[in-house]
Amino acid sequence: MMLDDIKRLLTERFGADVITGEETGGLQPALLIAPERIADVCLELRDNPATYFDFLSCLSGVDYGVTANRFGVVYHLASIPYRTQLTLKISVEHGRDTEDLPSFPTVSNVYRTAEWHEREAYDLVGINFEGNPDLRRILLPDDWEGFPLRKDYKNAEYYKGIKID
Amino acid sequence: MNTALERYHQKIAAAATQDMVLNMGPQHPSTHGVLRLELITDGEIVKEVIPHMGYLHRCFEKHAESLTYQQTIPFTDRMDYLASMNNSHVWVMGVERMLGIDKDIPKRVEYIRVLVCELNRIASHLIAIGTYGIDIGAFTPFLWCFRDREHIMGMLEWASGSRMLYNYIWIGGLFFDLPVGFEERCREFIEYFRPKLAELNELLTDNQIFISRTANVGVLPLDVAINYGCSGPMLRGSGLKWDLRRVDNYSVYPELDFDVPAGTGEMGTKGDCWDRYKVRVDEIEQSVKIIEQCLDRLQKELRRTPDFDPRAKLPRRLAPKAQDYYMRGEGSKGELGFYFITDPTGKSEIPFRVKARGPSFNNLSVLPEISKGIMIADLIAIIGSIDFVLGELDR
């Protein structure tokens, strides 16, 4: 199933505003999805017999830079029966305050593997996932401050009163 | 305050009044590295497993944002340090495809890459099998596996100069050509190794005690495996022939003849620990087959010539145009992926963002699901059959 067919399928099912754009310049084309619909889109793509994207290969949280002030999540889906791949992207403009995190719906109820991937995105990039059952830090200690993969992250000088060299 | 964190603390506090909270790790030998499993147990029954990782977190992704693509290769070696060649192979292929030079790589270089990758895959699976034996209580297979693995380590050290972390496969080529006599030495090893593999099968695979400890234990149904993103021997153990070497047909794998083994439930249920173990044993045989075919080609039509330079195609400037690309390949543990976002100006040799998708990370995430209500001793068997490497989990 080609990208155009997937686009048609999604617009027929969810309306024209579910796809906000597409990137076809690179080696792998990507669909830009309206952030609030991502879980529905993933569920449809997973269960529709014409697509069967049943395997979430990778979920990456991205900070698009200090000037862009944009945070996003990239989903790499794979279909085992059809041997195809698909990239979905969602993003939102948001401030860089670490108290007020950008927030997206979780897909962990569609792909259980997303639960840990979302924890990692929360831990390192500082993205909140609404509905994730266990959104704790996963790689860093629970009391770590800041989100290291953000572009404006400053290295911590102290951890629990111990100087970090 | 994070509410999920509060929920977790409450769960542990509530469990401590009636059940027992038991910490397995971070220095427990059966957790294969520094992994802490917090178990909520009722007697000997495991009610819940909460994995805690990050003890080996070295900020791979942050490092990659300040190093060039070529400089990051040694960092990828340190992810899955038992199969370093496979990691750098996937990384290098991803960058080559973004640069558009993946079709220009000389055949000899490609065959050497596949040869060393498969040698490394055997070494990695030997560790998985050997340490699995020791988890279950069989000491001898561990010593045998490490003895045979040492031959591979020696050969790869001869080729690259390093025992475990090679930095051998480079973007556009290789660091060195193979040393003179490597192919012959490799054939000697294969001749030596074949009977040893049969011996290992007699000792462990068909061992009644081993079968009783692993068959029907930790059954992972196929739909659960797919939904949890399991890959590699974990997924194939559940009965699906899904191998990215065949699915994506990258490098020279389409020219090579090998099978994809999958679990059949021969000793118990499909997808149990024994099936996952057996898939690894069968994969070693297939890797041996691939290595022999590579050696045939490398000794005949792709023979070494005095003027062959493995670095001839090394690009002078390594700046892919602005794009993003997800490269996946079959590491020894499963689907290893790198997601690159190149510099938006298209001029820098440093990536804007890199995400590494380690197979161990996803394979471990299924552990809490398949270990509810089992005995603690079976948990050890399940952990061993997952075969994760903490260097890759924590990155």
Side-chain angles (χ1 to χ4, degrees):
Chain A
M1 195 169 207
M2 302 305 293
L3 193 72
D4 290 336
D5 301 323
I6 294 171
K7 267 166 62 185
R8 197 174 316 121
L9 188 148
L10 287 178
T11 43
E12 273 170 19
R13 179 81 172 69
F14 297 110
D17 52 350
V18 68
I19 297 174
T20 56
E22 61 178 320
E23 291 173 5
T24 47
L27 293 163
Q28 285 169 333
L31 289 180
L32 311 185
I33 304 289
E36 65 280 3
R37 308 304 296 274
I38 184 69
D40 305 333
V41 168
C42 283
L43 187 64
E44 175 68 22
L45 289 176
R46 188 193 75 177
D47 287 346
N48 195 317
T51 49
Y52 271 142
F53 283 105
D54 47 2
F55 191 86
L56 178 69
S57 289
C58 187
L59 184 157
S60 338
V62 185
D63 172 7
Y64 285 102
V66 180
T67 46
N69 260 341
R70 180 168 277 279
F71 292 90
V73 183
V74 183
Y75 302 83
H76 290 96
L77 310 182
S79 162
I80 289 180
Y82 291 111
R83 302 196 166 192
T84 47
Q85 282 178 279
L86 178 69
T87 311
L88 302 178
K89 290 182 179 184
I90 55 176
S91 67
V92 70
E93 260 187 54
H94 200 275
R96 314 192 65 80
D97 186 6
T98 52
E99 295 296 314
D100 173 33
L101 301 178
S103 190
F104 298 108
T106 180
V107 296
S108 63
N109 38 13
V110 185
Y111 306 103
R112 293 300 302 274
T113 180
E115 188 179 322
W116 277 24
H117 277 286
E118 285 174 357
R119 277 177 73 184
E120 191 188 320
Y122 163 74
D123 188 3
L124 300 178
V125 195
I127 292 172
N128 185 35
F129 290 93
E130 293 155 31
N132 185 306
D134 194 19
L135 199 67
R136 291 179 289 132
R137 287 188 182 266
I138 188 165
L139 294 177
L140 301 178
D142 286 337
D143 53 357
W144 194 264
E145 282 171 18
F147 303 102
L149 279 183
R150 286 200 171 183
K151 295 290 175 187
D152 57 348
Y153 178 73
K154 299 248 184 332
N155 289 352
E157 288 183 4
Y158 288 91
Y159 177 65
K160 292 189 172 173
I162 305 165
K163 192 156 172 50
I164 303 171
D165 289 322
Chain B
M1 184 68 185
N2 185 326
T3 48
L5 191 58
E6 271 171 12
R7 270 205 305 278
Y8 158 71
H9 284 307
Q10 269 165 15
K11 187 196 283 173
I12 297 298
T17 56
Q18 33 181 301
D19 303 321
M20 184 158 70
V21 180
L22 188 69
N23 272 301
M24 214 164 95
Q27 301 294 348
H28 195 282
S30 74
T31 54
H32 293 218
V34 272
L35 167 74
R36 179 161 74 101
L37 295 176
E38 207 168 12
L39 315 182
I40 299 177
T41 58
D42 178 6
E44 233 184 300
I45 311 266
V46 177
K47 286 169 89 176
E48 196 166 348
V49 182
I50 307 168
H52 294 268
M53 54 274 205
Y55 294 92
L56 275 182
H57 183 52
R58 282 143 298 159
C59 325
F60 166 75
E61 290 166 17
K62 193 74 177 170
H63 277 300
E65 286 176 16
S66 51
L67 295 168
T68 66
Y69 292 98
Q70 204 79 283
Q71 284 170 335
T72 312
I73 295 172
F75 283 77
T76 62
D77 285 344
R78 280 152 182 79
M79 282 176 54
D80 178 357
Y81 43 76
L82 299 178
S84 308
M85 289 290 188
N86 291 294
N87 297 345
S88 31
H89 192 204
V90 176
W91 173 272
V92 160
M93 279 192 302
V95 179
E96 281 169 357
R97 285 195 192 168
M98 287 194 296
L99 290 166
I101 58 168
D102 55 319
K103 296 276 180 288
D104 310 336
I105 310 296
K107 274 276 165 196
R108 182 173 165 81
V109 167
E110 290 276 22
Y111 271 95
I112 293 175
R113 282 181 181 179
V114 169
L115 173 69
V116 292
C117 278
E118 295 304 321
L119 278 173
N120 216 187
R121 191 185 306 272
I122 294 180
S124 167
H125 281 348
L126 281 177
I127 289 217
I129 292 166
T131 53
Y132 195 34
I134 216 170
D135 286 344
I136 303 286
F139 203 91
T140 315
F142 170 76
L143 298 173
W144 287 9
C145 286
F146 268 66
R147 176 198 61 197
D148 297 340
R149 171 177 175 264
E150 207 49 45
H151 290 279
I152 299 178
M153 296 285 107
M155 279 195 290
L156 294 179
E157 179 177 1
W158 188 20
S160 70
S162 172
R163 222 178 79 87
M164 271 177 83
L165 307 161
Y166 308 109
N167 189 16
Y168 181 65
I169 300 174
W170 269 26
I171 296 160
L174 300 166
F175 200 87
F176 301 115
D177 198 352
L178 287 179
V180 177
F182 187 91
E183 292 91 334
E184 290 77 9
R185 173 79 185 76
C186 202
R187 275 201 196 280
E188 274 174 32
F189 166 73
I190 297 291
E191 251 170 61
Y192 155 87
F193 183 60
R194 274 243 158 90
K196 299 288 181 214
L197 197 58
E199 225 172 62
L200 184 73
N201 269 333
E202 278 171 28
L203 182 69
L204 194 60
T205 312
D206 305 326
N207 184 317
Q208 197 52 51
I209 304 170
F210 180 73
I211 292 171
S212 339
R213 282 297 307 276
T214 53
N216 290 322
V217 171
V219 178
L220 175 65
L222 183 59
D223 53 338
V224 177
I226 293 174
N227 206 244
Y228 271 90
C230 297
S231 49
M234 278 289 271
L235 184 59
R236 291 194 282 276
S238 296
L240 184 70
K241 293 195 175 191
W242 180 257
D243 189 322
L244 294 177
R245 290 176 291 176
R246 275 282 179 255
V247 174
D248 284 1
N249 275 330
Y250 58 85
S251 196
V252 289
Y253 283 112
E255 298 170 22
L256 297 167
D257 169 41
F258 65 98
D259 297 328
V260 179
T264 53
E266 197 181 329
M267 294 295 167
T269 320
K270 197 188 267 188
D272 60 6
C273 291
W274 192 87
D275 271 351
R276 291 195 278 277
Y277 160 85
K278 187 69 167 61
V279 165
R280 292 197 181 94
V281 176
D282 292 347
E283 264 179 40
I284 291 184
E285 273 168 33
Q286 297 304 322
S287 290
V288 168
K289 216 163 125 187
I290 297 176
I291 288 169
E292 281 184 325
Q293 295 170 51
C294 288
L295 289 173
D296 286 344
R297 301 290 299 270
L298 287 172
Q299 285 183 314
K300 288 189 188 115
E301 60 262 45
L302 300 169
R303 209 178 307 123
R304 175 198 331 268
T305 49
D307 57 333
F308 179 72
D309 179 10
R311 299 197 209 173
K313 299 284 180 195
L314 240 59
R316 283 219 182 71
R317 270 191 63 74
L318 261 171
K321 65 180 188 345
Q323 60 184 311
D324 54 341
Y325 187 62
Y326 177 72
M327 176 70 210
R328 59 178 188 175
E330 189 75 20
S332 69
K333 315 278 186 290
E335 173 177 339
L336 174 67
F338 288 108
Y339 174 52
F340 303 91
I341 302 180
T342 59
D343 190 78
T345 57
K347 285 180 187 146
S348 172
E349 300 192 22
I350 297 170
F352 179 77
R353 165 98 166 91
V354 171
K355 154 101 184 180
R357 184 258 198 230
S360 304
F361 186 80
N362 298 274
N363 287 354
L364 180 68
S365 71
V366 80
L367 177 70
E369 177 72 25
I370 58 173
S371 54
K372 281 202 175 90
I374 56 163
M375 309 290 261
I376 294 182
D378 287 345
L379 184 68
I380 310 282
I382 296 177
I383 295 171
S385 76
I386 295 178
D387 179 36
F388 45 80
V389 163
L390 270 295
E392 181 178 67
L393 241 153
D394 297 342
R395 300 184 292 281

